[in-house]
Amino acid sequence: MLRLNELRLPLDHAPEALPAAIAQRLKIKPAELLAFEVFKRSYDARRGHPLTLIYTLDITVANETALLKRMAGDNKIGPSPDTSYHFVGQAPANLQHRPVVVGFGPCGIFAALLLAQMGFNPIVLERGKEVRQRTKDTWGLWRKNVLNPESNVQFGEGGAGTFSDGKLYSQIKDPRHLGRKVLAEFVKAGAPDEILYVSKPHIGTFRLVGMVERMRETITALGGEVRFEQKVTDILIEDGAVRGLVLESGEQLRTDHVVMALGHSARDTFQALHDRGVFMEAKPFSVGFRIEHPQSLIDQARFGKHAGHPLLGAADYKLVHHASNGRSVYSFCMCPGGTVVAATSEPNRVVTNGMSQYSRNERNANAGIVVGITPDDYPGGVMAGVAFQRELESRAFVLGGGNYEAPGQLVGDFIANRASTQLGSVEPSYKPGVKLGNLDTALPAYAIEAVREALPAFGKQIKGFDMHDAVLTGVETRTSSPLRITRGEDCQSLNVRGLFPAGEGAGYAGGILSAGVDGIKVAEALALSVLKG
Ligand code: FAD
């Protein structure tokens, strides 16, 4: 099979135009084209260019060797790379203790799945509840202002990304095509096939719930075990190596291998590991607000006359502004046609994030507008980033009226630094509700200054982005982990053998796809450490 990259066709091309264009590009007769498969389909929506679809294709032709020789100087044509997944080994029959995976978010799911597929019979410990029960608890905060600190948007089966837009792309380097393995497993678990070939796949909340359940069933069928409401509270270390875990119930679980896939919100567990001397360090993250616009405004700005085209779907955006005070402001976790959600896991705190359904047909587009910060902004050691997040989230709770409503402000008022008293044309979607006021004190002055400068600059890139009635809600603090549980080349903790810090909480992923990929890498590293003895 050969790979043809960057074949461009008009947005509304007829289906038969694709094989014709392939034959023309490869300079072969139509009959010599035996088969083709779309590996990726993206689009070019840059202004001033006609909107085109861009295909990457895997193609079978009558005489591949001759064609590749003839096209040798063409850097868009070559043999198709092998993107299939190959296991690094199989579990030995005499494994004394089963490996344990802590956390059943995308990282823990893939670590457990891979370990199960290699015959390691992993035990998964998840502090939250199974996904259906968790969904009810999460809605409890959104509809009834009642938070369950152990079962919410951050904690429970499926992890943080379960109630999300389910975006499945990432900018990580992936020479071994592990992302493809993640997507292929998602398809097996019920995701639409298109996630394998569209350039920016997404799944949406509703489908994710069913997929997570099916992946759990697969792990169990392969000999794994998934236990819910089992919070890990301590780690047992002897002579610099893991010897077991302590659960909240008091139970001690003997194991020599632990994948710690905690997510970025397991602050109590970070503290427990820190208290045990596990090496970790503070790392940069970002803080800011969520912004909401009419989705139609974003579609119009991005796609012009093609807005609403079914192949394009609801438009997204990605924005960056380097502010004059040296801070970078950027859009984060943009959710087309979605809603802003209450995402705290701790009582009396307010945190925003975004989600959508597969259809992405809600009225508003939302995204985080966040400012990069570094440990210099919150000096005080490894746990200082957590303290900094908590302070901002508590402040937002008070500004929101102390009942889990989010503090909000219209963009025009925010830019003019005047409190908002009335909504305009944009109805914010955050539940349980939004309390209008002035967000001026919701973030440190440097961050407010930077966002105030960035919004009009973004308005030059997306017409109307700085419209008066767009709504800001806050605060967006759980953008990534405020610390890294540092690991070596072998994916093990720098000072505790057998401990494999993984995923977003350990500072090695950001998003569902990269967390899944990290889960695979860590499962492989664990398997190799067992096999090498
Ligand atoms: P998590 O998913 O956070 O999972 C960690 C798990 O560990 C949790 O289930 C938690 O309960 C459990 N746990 C923690 N401590 C313990 C303990 N002590 N004992 C036992 N279990 C424990 N990313 C995208 O790529 N696309 C999106 O569209 C997207 N949208 C998002 C929307 C929302 C509302 C949120 C909150 C996040 C979104 N993200 C999105 C980010 C994405 O969800 C995370 O990057 C991803 O889930 C990280 O995976 P993880 O497995 O490393 O951690």
Side-chain angles (χ1 to χ4, degrees):
M1 207 157 27
L2 62 86
R3 170 77 49 92
L4 169 61
N5 290 296
E6 276 188 52
L7 184 69
R8 288 173 180 259
L9 282 162
L11 176 63
D12 278 317
H13 72 80
E16 58 275 17
L18 185 53
I22 295 171
Q24 192 184 19
R25 178 70 177 77
L26 298 181
K27 300 190 180 89
I28 55 174
K29 295 195 187 84
E32 289 175 77
L33 174 62
L34 303 182
F36 70 91
E37 199 180 314
V38 177
F39 181 78
K40 269 279 164 292
R41 188 190 67 211
S42 57
Y43 55 76
D44 181 353
R46 280 174 303 163
R47 279 170 194 223
H49 296 254
L51 210 154
T52 50
L53 295 177
I54 309 171
Y55 289 96
T56 302
L57 299 136
D58 283 327
I59 299 167
T60 311
V61 292
N63 191 340
E64 183 176 312
T65 315
L67 190 145
L68 284 174
K69 205 167 160 200
R70 184 160 45 80
M71 295 290 198
D74 190 327
N75 64 5
K76 301 280 189 287
I77 299 170
S80 293
D82 178 9
T83 57
S84 55
Y85 181 74
H86 305 278
F87 289 100
V88 295
Q90 285 296 314
N94 60 351
L95 187 67
Q96 223 188 337
H97 301 290
R98 297 164 77 177
V100 177
V101 175
V102 184
F104 203 54
C107 181
I109 291 176
F110 275 90
L113 180 68
L114 266 284
L115 288 171
Q117 288 174 338
M118 290 187 280
F120 280 87
N121 304 332
I123 298 174
V124 178
L125 302 172
E126 165 56 54
R127 72 193 291 166
K129 298 184 190 171
E130 57 88 17
V131 69
R132 303 274 159 180
Q133 191 53 46
R134 175 189 179 202
T135 306
K136 285 187 197 152
D137 293 334
T138 304
W139 281 89
L141 175 61
W142 298 349
R143 291 283 180 248
K144 297 182 190 144
N145 309 48
V146 179
L147 171 74
N148 180 337
E150 293 300 329
S151 179
N152 49 58
V153 169
Q154 308 291 350
F155 297 154
E157 184 176 23
T162 310
F163 309 102
S164 81
D165 183 42
K167 283 178 282 295
L168 294 178
Y169 42 91
S170 150
Q171 288 170 340
I172 51 166
K173 288 199 185 98
D174 186 17
R176 291 180 51 220
H177 309 284
L178 298 181
R180 195 85 187 156
K181 165 82 171 158
V182 172
L183 296 179
E185 293 292 349
F186 277 152
V187 169
K188 273 195 225 160
D193 283 357
E194 65 169 36
I195 68 166
L196 287 170
Y197 64 84
V198 296
S199 63
K200 291 184 177 175
H202 76 282
I203 305 183
T205 292
F206 181 70
R207 285 186 185 223
L208 272 167
V209 167
M211 285 163 52
V212 163
E213 282 179 323
R214 266 171 240 127
M215 294 186 81
R216 184 221 310 159
E217 284 158 15
T218 305
I219 292 166
T220 312
L222 289 167
E225 192 182 331
V226 184
R227 301 188 193 167
F228 296 106
E229 298 181 70
Q230 307 261 316
K231 178 158 80 175
V232 170
T233 51
D234 206 351
I235 182 165
L236 303 172
I237 304 170
E238 271 173 34
D239 300 328
V242 173
R243 285 294 167 258
L245 292 166
V246 182
L247 309 187
E248 196 169 39
S249 60
E251 182 187 342
Q252 293 196 358
L253 202 64
R254 177 76 180 88
T255 180
D256 295 330
H257 299 95
V258 174
V259 175
M260 209 43 106
L262 298 171
H264 56 33
S265 290
R267 295 163 171 175
D268 48 359
T269 321
F270 292 157
Q271 185 68 57
L273 295 176
H274 184 51
D275 292 346
R276 280 282 163 231
V278 174
F279 185 89
M280 39 179 93
E281 51 198 327
K283 76 171 225 348
F285 62 104
S286 301
V287 296
F289 301 122
R290 271 272 138 182
I291 194 163
E292 279 186 277
H293 298 92
Q295 180 63 47
S296 54
L297 179 138
I298 307 296
D299 290 345
Q300 192 56 43
R302 292 284 329 279
F303 298 147
K305 67 176 181 181
H306 298 294
H309 193 288
L311 261 192
L312 300 173
D316 64 359
Y317 58 79
K318 199 166 179 206
L319 298 164
V320 185
H321 175 72
H322 300 290
S324 47
N325 68 0
R327 302 281 170 171
S328 289
V329 184
Y330 63 99
S331 58
F332 165 77
C333 186
M334 197 268 152
C335 297
T339 48
V340 180
V341 295
T344 184
S345 52
E346 294 185 331
N348 301 339
R349 302 204 155 100
V350 164
V351 180
T352 53
N353 210 310
M355 69 169 239
S356 71
Q357 300 297 347
Y358 177 69
S359 56
R360 286 180 165 170
N361 62 3
E362 295 292 333
R363 206 178 325 154
N364 292 347
N366 75 71
I369 296 293
V370 298
V371 181
I373 56 170
T374 73
D376 290 342
D377 295 310
Y378 45 87
V382 173
M383 296 301 294
V386 168
F388 182 80
Q389 288 174 315
R390 280 184 166 145
E391 194 200 319
L392 297 183
E393 294 167 10
S394 300
R395 210 185 293 171
F397 182 77
V398 172
L399 286 171
N403 58 357
Y404 293 107
E405 289 191 4
Q409 190 172 14
L410 304 194
V411 161
D413 292 334
F414 177 79
I415 293 170
N417 193 11
R418 122 189 110 213
S420 293
T421 52
Q422 215 180 340
L423 290 172
S425 56
V426 180
E427 179 80 27
S429 56
Y430 178 97
K431 296 278 181 275
V434 173
K435 183 168 189 282
L436 288 178
N438 197 336
L439 290 171
D440 191 45
T441 57
L443 296 176
Y446 58 79
I448 295 289
E449 206 177 283
V451 175
R452 216 167 250 150
E453 184 184 308
L455 292 171
F458 291 158
K460 293 197 177 101
Q461 294 173 56
I462 293 188
K463 195 164 172 249
F465 197 87
D466 52 347
M467 69 186 274
H468 182 272
D469 288 359
V471 180
L472 290 168
T473 44
V475 283
E476 194 93 3
T477 44
R478 314 272 182 108
T479 50
S480 70
S481 187
L483 53 84
R484 172 168 292 115
I485 310 177
T486 318
R487 64 193 195 197
E489 285 286 301
D490 58 0
C491 289
Q492 300 189 50
S493 152
L494 285 190
N495 64 345
V496 184
R497 281 193 317 285
L499 175 64
F500 296 80
E504 180 142 18
Y508 289 97
I512 298 169
L513 189 73
S514 64
V517 166
D518 200 54
I520 297 177
K521 279 188 193 161
V522 162
E524 291 178 341
L526 191 157
L528 288 174
S529 87
V530 171
L531 293 170
K532 285 177 188 160

